[in-house]
Amino acid sequence: MSLEDAGYRNCWLAYFDILGFKKLFENASNPNALFVIRIIYEDVLLKLKAGTKQDIHTVWFSDTFIIFTPDDSPESFQDIRLLAEEFFIECIGNEVPLRGALSFGLFSFESAINEGIYLGNALIDAYTFAEDTDWIGLILTPCALERARCLHFYPERHSYRNKNIPMREIKNKQIFAFVPDYWRESRPLYPNRHPLTPVLIAMQRKAPSIAQCKYDKTIQFFDFYYQAKGKRAHT
């Protein structure tokens, strides 16, 4: 029996992992963190039901979020990409640190929907790359990028950059990271820095010493490309 006969199909899949999830239960200075996460997640579900993304599925267990599509269509890629980006922005904007990866490949779609069993290359790929990042960020894996390019998606035109992404062991030039264009601030606290930088600095102050460098790397990455974009706009 083939994988397709077993209910596997090519899908887009986003994997997110909340950093320091255990500390959320122990940190008395941020007692509402889990409530905030739940509100953000429920908001994502409402947008799925209200919009055109009703075929996208979401799962939340412990510190892990998975978002996946029913197929590998261009429309599914567009929907899950925008949803993953929005989820990432809202979590960071509300001081919920997480890392994530958007991937592509075979996934046990039928088993996931009917039995809650999650298997397949798409999940393994997303998990592997997300866990290897050494920061707070969202990336496109090489598998996702290869398929996306076939759909005429050019990451550089959609706020994705591929230089100086902090990875622990994986070395691959075909990894692209998302740099949000904005947040809610119409007048940023620091005009020459990324709008999310003040939030990341506030998060860093509460983070354990072992995680400080993750924030430094994220802030440097976001600020660098935000400033580069500003320079291009004035030339």
Side-chain angles (χ1 to χ4, degrees), residues 108-158:
S108 60
F109 182 84
E110 299 296 337
S111 296
I113 296 299
N114 299 320
E115 304 171 58
I117 298 174
Y118 308 97
L119 300 169
N121 292 338
L123 178 56
I124 294 172
D125 187 64
Y127 170 84
T128 300
F129 277 86
E131 292 294 315
D132 197 67
T133 59
D134 193 24
W135 70 341
I136 295 92
L138 169 62
I139 64 172
L140 280 178
T141 72
C143 287
L145 181 64
E146 181 179 6
R147 174 58 180 168
R149 289 193 187 280
C150 294
L151 303 177
H152 306 291
F153 174 81
Y154 303 99
E156 300 90 342
R157 299 179 185 177
H158 296 273

Side-chain angles (χ1 to χ4, degrees), residues 12-84:
W12 300 98
L13 184 146
Y15 166 93
F16 288 98
D17 167 45
I18 298 175
L19 300 177
F21 189 72
K22 181 180 178 182
K23 291 293 183 182
L24 293 179
F25 292 93
E26 303 171 350
N27 189 355
S29 67
N30 194 14
N32 296 321
L34 292 176
F35 176 76
V36 169
I37 295 170
R38 180 176 177 179
I39 292 298
I40 295 171
Y41 183 70
E42 290 178 346
D43 185 54
V44 167
L45 294 181
L46 286 175
K47 289 178 180 178
L48 285 176
K49 294 177 181 178
T52 60
K53 308 177 183 65
Q54 297 181 26
D55 289 334
I56 294 183
H57 302 272
T58 62
V59 181
W60 176 15
F61 49 91
S62 187
D63 62 348
T64 300
F65 296 87
I66 299 174
I67 307 171
F68 57 96
T69 67
D71 55 40
D72 60 351
S73 68
E75 294 78 15
S76 288
F77 172 63
Q78 174 81 350
D79 287 346
I80 194 173
R81 179 179 65 82
L82 294 177
L83 187 64

Side-chain angles (χ1 to χ4, degrees), residues 201-218:
I201 292 174
M203 294 164 67
Q204 184 180 37
R205 289 170 180 161
K206 303 173 186 176
S209 57
I210 194 173
Q212 294 290 314
C213 62
K214 297 180 187 295
Y215 290 91
D216 287 334
K217 293 171 183 177
T218 305

